[in-house]
Every structure is written in C-alpha cells, then in structure tokens.
Amino acid sequence: MYYVRQANKYGAKRTEFNGRHYDSKHEAGIAGELELLRRAGEVVKINPQQTYNLYGKNGNRICTHRPDFTVTFKDGHQEVWEAKGYPTPTWQLKLKLFEDNYPEIIYYVITPRERFYGSKKRSTPYNSGVFGKRAA
C-alpha cells in the first residue's frame, strides 16, 4: 500500500529554505527576508510556528494559534509575521482573538500583493519609506 500525499486545497507548494520545510513558496520567501534582517543585525531571534493560547472574555481558553514567525528585534519588541495567500474565516477570527489577547505584539500580515499590520491596513516600514523605495 502506498501513501499518496494530498495536494494543498489552496495550491500552496511545500518549499525548503535553509534546511527547513515551509508550507508555501511565499512563506519560504519571507523566511529568506527575515534571515537577511537577522544577518544585518536588526533581528535577534526568529521563532517559526510558535503556539499562542487564545482566551475569551471569561478567561477560558478558546483555541490556539500558530503564526508563521515570531520575530524579536534588537530593541526588544516582538512582531508576529504571517504569510497569507487567502484569509480564511477561521484565521480572521483567530487574528481578532490574538489582537485582544496580545496587544503588545504587532501582528504583521504579508500577502503576495501587500503588507499590513493586523486587521487594519496601516503604513508599514516598506510603504512608508523607512526602508527606502522598492524597485517596481
């Protein structure tokens, strides 16, 4: 009997980068970008797939959320970087719960077309000119 791996329902292709397997090419590309930031000294630590418990208003744990990367910068602040090709309703609910439970951690969503923080589109280091102009 052979085991046939089922294809991803959203068409994502598993990709390897630096000896680690990622769920999509997009996620592996972000891992490469984070690695460049780490080598430049901007990022101190990168934790892939760190699990966060999400709690409701009454204090009971509702679910867990495992974003793609938890990034610690040299000034000590943390950001969660999430590569998203398609925002599912379950993920949108977990994003709102995460923002309620962990307001001190910035949630950075990266889609193939744009980058934004959390559930609200705000300026990012890339589109505000902090990192200079990107080539078109």
Side-chain angles (χ1 to χ4, degrees):
M1 177 174 220
Y2 294 98
Y3 174 75
V4 177
R5 181 170 166 81
Q6 204 172 12
N8 185 296
K9 70 179 180 178
Y10 298 109
K13 305 263 191 272
R14 285 185 60 85
T15 306
E16 184 179 344
F17 174 76
N18 272 357
R20 181 175 172 82
H21 291 278
Y22 294 96
D23 292 333
S24 67
K25 290 180 186 177
H26 179 54
E27 189 176 334
I30 294 182
E33 191 173 316
L34 285 171
E35 181 62 23
L36 287 175
L37 287 173
R38 188 189 64 75
R39 288 182 186 175
E42 296 293 320
V43 171
V44 177
K45 189 174 183 184
I46 303 167
N47 290 334
Q49 304 287 321
Q50 182 176 345
T51 302
Y52 291 91
N53 289 323
L54 301 178
Y55 299 93
K57 286 191 174 194
N58 60 2
N60 292 336
R61 186 174 70 90
I62 297 174
C63 59
T64 59
H65 181 49
R66 188 174 294 150
D68 297 328
F69 305 97
T70 301
V71 184
T72 306
F73 287 85
K74 67 180 177 183
D75 63 358
H77 85 278
Q78 285 189 324
E79 291 183 5
V80 166
W81 285 31
E82 179 78 33
K84 270 290 162 217
Y86 177 76
T88 62
T90 303
W91 173 79
Q92 290 172 339
L93 178 63
K94 287 184 175 188
L95 170 61
K96 290 179 182 180
L97 283 169
F98 186 91
E99 288 176 335
D100 285 344
N101 282 263
Y102 303 96
E104 71 280 0
I105 300 176
I106 298 169
Y107 201 104
Y108 190 47
V109 181
I110 304 163
T111 66
R113 292 186 181 89
E114 60 190 347
R115 297 161 182 260
F116 55 93
Y117 286 104
S119 56
K120 299 167 192 71
K121 291 185 182 181
R122 296 177 232 157
S123 71
T124 66
Y126 290 99
N127 64 17
S128 66
V130 172
F131 290 119
K133 299 289 182 193
R134 297 191 84 178

